[in-house]
C-alpha cells in the first residue's frame, strides 16, 4: 500500500519535467516543469496547502472556520481542495475578467465564489490593474464582514518559501544541477523569488529572468503603456512585497500574441496543453537563444492547464 496517498493533498508536488523538442532554438535547450500535474491542475496547489498548514501550526484557524482569498482562480482552486479536505468553509473573490472555467471549477470544489464585475471601460478576458484593485477592495470588505482568515498570497512569505524548498529543490534534482537559466512570469512573485532563491543558493552563476507583459514592464523600470493584457494572473504593474532585486539577472517581456502563439505551439507540436502564462514563459525563454552558449539549459514553468481557458481567446480558432 506504499503507493496509496493518505489524501489528495499528498499528491501535490514532485511534478515531471519535459524537454521541448521543436522550438527551433539553436543554442538552448528548454525544459518545462509541468505544474498542471498537481491536483487542481496548477502550481498554486503548492502554496495553498503551505499557507493553510502554516496557519494551522500557528493556531490561527480551526475546523469549521472560514477562509477567504483574492485570486485569479488558480490559488483559489488549490485552497478549495485544501479546505474541502481539512474542513474549512472557503470563499474566493475574483474578477469577472478571468476565465469562467476557473469559477466553475471552484464551485464544483465546494467554494463560495464572489465575482467582482470588471471596471467601466476595461476589456473582457483581461484583468487590468483597476479590475485587480476592485477585487482587493471587495476581499477586504468580506474578510472583515465574515471574520474570515485570509492567507493573502500577495504578502504571505509561505508563498515564496514553499517554492524555494519544494519546486526549486525539485528542479535542481531533476536537472542534476545542470541548469544555466530560469525564466518565470511574475504574478505574486512567489514562484520566481522562491525558485530563484533555491537556484542561486545552489549555484550563483545560474541566470534568473522575470517575465512581464510587453505593455506593462513595471519591474523592469520601463513606462507602463497599459495593464490591459491577456496574460492572466499577473502584469498589474505592482511590485511584490517580498521582491528581491538581487535575484534578477535581466528582464524579459512578451506580447499577448507571443504568449498565445507559443501556448498553441506547445499544444499542437509538443502535446503540452497550458495557459497564457505557460505560453508567456516559453516565449520568453526562447528569446534567450541568441544570447546563450550552445547547449545551455533553460528551465521554465507551465503553471496550469489550457483546460481552464477554453472559453477565452487562447484556444479560439477560425474554422
Amino acid at each position: 500500500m506504499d503507493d496509496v496517498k493518505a489524501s489528495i493533498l499528498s499528491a501535490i508536488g514532485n511534478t515531471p519535467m519535459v524537454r521541448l523538442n521543436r522550438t527551433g532554438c539553436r543554442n538552448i535547450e528548454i525544459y518545462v516543469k509541468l505544474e498542471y500535474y498537481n491536483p487542481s491542475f496548477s502550481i498554486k496547489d503548492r502554496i495553498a496547502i503551505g499557507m493553510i498548514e502554516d496557519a494551522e501550526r500557528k493556531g490561527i484557524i480551526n475546523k469549521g472556520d472560514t477562509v477567504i482569498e483574492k485570486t485569479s482562480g488558480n490559488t483559489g482552486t488549490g485552497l478549495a481542495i485544501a479546505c474541502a479536505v481539512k474542513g474549512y468553509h472557503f470563499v474566493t473573490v475574483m474578477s469577472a475578467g478571468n476565465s469562467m472555467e476557473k469559477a466553475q471549477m471552484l464551485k464544483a470544489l465546494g467554494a463560495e465564489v464572489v465575482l467582482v464585475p470588471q471596471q467601466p471601460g476595461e476589456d473582457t478576458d483581461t484583468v487590468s490593474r483597476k479590475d485587480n484593485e476592485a477585487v482587493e477592495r471587495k476581499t477586504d470588505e468580506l474578510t472583515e464582514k465574515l471574520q474570515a482568515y485570509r492567507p493573502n498570497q500577495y504578502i504571505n512569505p509561505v508563498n515564496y518559501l514553499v517554492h524555494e524548498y519544494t519546486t526549486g529543490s525539485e528542479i535542481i534534482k531533476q536537472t542534476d544541477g545542470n541548469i544555466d537559466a530560469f525564466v518565470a512570469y511574475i504574478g505574486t512573485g512567489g514562484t520566481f523569488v522562491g525558485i530563484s532563491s533555491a537556484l542561486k543558493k545552489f549555484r550563483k552563476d545560474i541566470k534568473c529572468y522575470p517575465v512581464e507583459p510587453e505593455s506593462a514592464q513595471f519591474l523592469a523600470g520601463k513606462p507602463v503603456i497599459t495593464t490591459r493584457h491577456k496574460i492572466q494572473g499577473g502584469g498589474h504593474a505592482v511590485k511584490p512585497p517580498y521582491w528581491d532585486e538581487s535575484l534578477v539577472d535581466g528582464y524579459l517581456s512578451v506580447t499577448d500574441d507571443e504568449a498565445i502563439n507559443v501556448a498553441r505551439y506547445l499544444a499542437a507540436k509538443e502535446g503540452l496543453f497550458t495557459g497564457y502564462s505557460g505560453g508567456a514563459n516559453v516565449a520568453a525563454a526562447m528569446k534567450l537563444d541568441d544570447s546563450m552558449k550552445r547547449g545551455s539549459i533553460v528551465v521554465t514553468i507551465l503553471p496550469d492547464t489550457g483546460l481552464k481557458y477554453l472559453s477565452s481567446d487562447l484556444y479560439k480558432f477560425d474554422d
Side-chain angles (χ1 to χ4, degrees):
M1 301 282 283
D2 289 344
D3 291 335
V4 177
K5 306 294 185 184
S7 79
I8 192 64
L9 302 182
S10 300
I12 295 172
N14 293 307
T15 56
M17 183 176 287
V18 172
R19 177 189 175 188
L20 300 184
N21 296 296
R22 302 176 69 180
T23 63
C25 291
R26 296 172 299 169
N27 295 321
I28 64 173
E29 297 178 7
I30 300 175
Y31 295 177
V32 294
K33 193 155 172 61
L34 307 186
E35 288 299 298
Y36 56 70
Y37 269 64
N38 284 303
S40 81
F41 318 118
S42 145
I43 192 171
K44 296 293 189 174
D45 287 7
R46 294 177 183 266
I47 69 167
I49 188 59
M51 293 188 298
I52 290 296
E53 292 187 342
D54 179 65
E56 289 176 332
R57 285 191 296 269
K58 293 175 178 175
I60 297 173
I61 53 175
N62 296 287
K63 186 169 290 188
D65 286 350
T66 296
V67 176
I68 189 170
E69 185 70 323
K70 165 192 169 187
T71 174
S72 64
N74 284 333
T75 302
T77 53
L79 284 168
I81 287 176
C83 288
V85 172
K86 288 177 169 288
Y88 304 110
H89 174 59
F90 179 57
V91 179
T92 184
V93 189
M94 60 190 296
S95 171
N98 287 298
S99 65
M100 288 302 98
E101 287 86 352
K102 291 179 179 179
Q104 290 298 101
M105 185 174 177
L106 280 158
K107 291 176 183 177
L109 290 168
E112 180 181 342
V113 179
V114 178
L115 283 179
V116 179
Q118 290 189 270
Q119 298 303 286
E122 301 307 285
D123 299 331
T124 58
D125 288 338
T126 67
V127 179
S128 70
R129 181 171 178 171
K130 288 182 179 179
D131 291 329
N132 194 50
E133 289 169 347
V135 178
E136 178 68 28
R137 290 192 296 271
K138 187 65 175 178
T139 307
D140 285 342
E141 172 194 323
L142 288 173
T143 301
E144 183 175 353
K145 179 181 177 181
L146 299 172
Q147 292 296 291
Y149 168 63
R150 180 181 179 186
N152 202 337
Q153 60 178 321
Y154 295 90
I155 64 172
N156 194 326
V158 173
N159 187 342
Y160 69 88
L161 290 172
V162 162
H163 289 302
E164 179 176 347
Y165 295 123
T166 68
T167 328
S169 296
E170 290 170 26
I171 288 171
I172 293 168
K173 182 179 179 180
Q174 287 170 312
T175 60
D176 292 326
N178 296 317
I179 173 174
D180 298 289
F182 171 67
V183 171
Y185 182 65
I186 304 304
T188 65
T191 298
F192 177 83
V193 171
I195 294 175
S196 296
S197 295
L199 295 177
K200 293 286 190 182
K201 288 176 181 177
F202 174 72
R203 217 179 67 233
K204 290 184 178 180
D205 64 333
I206 297 174
K207 305 296 185 184
C208 298
Y209 299 94
V211 180
E212 298 181 281
E214 189 171 282
S215 65
Q217 298 180 62
F218 177 78
L219 294 172
K222 297 184 179 181
V224 175
I225 300 168
T226 180
T227 58
R228 297 177 182 175
H229 56 82
K230 293 184 179 294
I231 310 172
Q232 297 181 14
H236 298 136
V238 176
K239 185 177 181 180
Y242 40 74
W243 188 248
D244 186 350
E245 194 70 28
S246 71
L247 300 172
V248 178
D249 292 288
Y251 286 91
L252 298 171
S253 67
V254 295
T255 65
D256 285 350
D257 285 346
E258 287 172 331
I260 290 170
N261 290 337
V262 172
R264 291 177 176 179
Y265 139 73
L266 289 169
K269 303 299 182 182
E270 301 275 3
L272 301 170
F273 197 34
T274 190
Y276 286 101
S277 54
N281 279 342
V282 175
M286 291 168 67
K287 294 185 178 186
L288 295 175
D289 189 41
D290 291 336
S291 63
M292 301 192 73
K293 295 179 181 178
R294 186 175 293 275
S296 295
I297 293 174
V298 180
V299 172
T300 191
I301 304 290
L302 299 190
D304 64 0
T305 173
L307 290 171
K308 296 187 177 185
Y309 303 92
L310 292 177
S311 66
S312 73
D313 288 346
L314 184 55
Y315 292 112
K316 286 183 181 177
F317 301 97
D318 295 328
D319 293 331

